[in-house]
Amino acid sequence: MGGMGECSLSVLLLHVRYRLSSAGISPSVVETEMIVGHVLGLKRSEIYSQAQRRVTPEETAVVMGLVELRMGRFPLQYLLGECEFMSLPFTMREGVFIARPETEILVEAVIERVEAGGKPVRRILDIATGSGIIGISLARYLKPDLVVVTDICRDAVEIARANAILNRVEPVTQLMVGDRLDPLRQGWATGFDVVVCNPPYVETDEIPGLEPEIRAFEPLVALDGGPDGLRFIDGILPGISSILKEGGLVAFEIGATQGPRVKALFEHAGLARVEIVKDLARLDRVVLGRRS
Ligand code: GLN
């Protein structure tokens, strides 16, 4: 918005919304409120009660800089540097996989089963954690003695560390850099009550068809599950039983068409009481099993 001087917040909101919707960004109202609120330090609920407030040219320039990036499909969570997951705050940074709302289904399914079991969990493992959302939210809600989180990407582990500090679970969180189960080779990290993982599970052929935000900006290593999407899952399942306590719970996020195949892989790996949990769109989203 070159040349736009001082204006009211309501004019700025209209202008931003127009720019975003003309670039095909939707829902433009929500994104407008989030970007403008972020720059002005206002909660979304406060924005409209202050609609007549004056906005300085400097504030406008910062907002429009972010809007330009967003119009180029740069993901909103990277722009804002934060996102919410399981009602907890998380820091986010370019290069690290962005938390998806569907992943809350995985976390909720684990919490429900642990609570139904009636026994406290002592050790949790989150493999390929990305920004740490799964392990850290389980640490907050289940209060284990130890959560081990691993990721192949050092940047991801650094963001996960920041998020463990932000959510005050750093004292119980052990962060490790490495691929799949490699970081656990040292041997002390075993006897887990719960093992969780949101692996890369998108079929390689489907990656070009993903939204531009994902395809162009998110780390491929966090998405690409090989030709059938199951390469990562298939690679680690055989090793999981040996690090799981008897009766321990395993939960993986999966793609919508992968339920029956992943269930079969769980059973083949000797896991019992295997179940598929669907998401709000009634699509297969999570597979759970137990070490018998
Ligand atoms: N659900 C994610 C997506 O389609 C994929 C996540 C993953 O591979 N873990 O963007």
Side-chain angles (χ1 to χ4, degrees), residues 97 100 102 198-202 210 214 222-223 253 285:
F97 182 74
R100 307 285 199 268
E102 307 90 89
N198 174 14
Y201 59 69
V202 181
L210 297 176
I214 303 173
L223 294 164
E253 184 171 321
R285 182 58 60 193

Side-chain angles (χ1 to χ4, degrees), residues 61-79:
V62 174
V63 168
M64 295 319 292
L66 296 180
V67 169
E68 287 301 318
L69 285 168
R70 187 67 191 100
M71 289 169 70
R73 294 289 176 155
F74 192 70
L76 183 68
Q77 294 88 339
Y78 290 160
L79 270 189

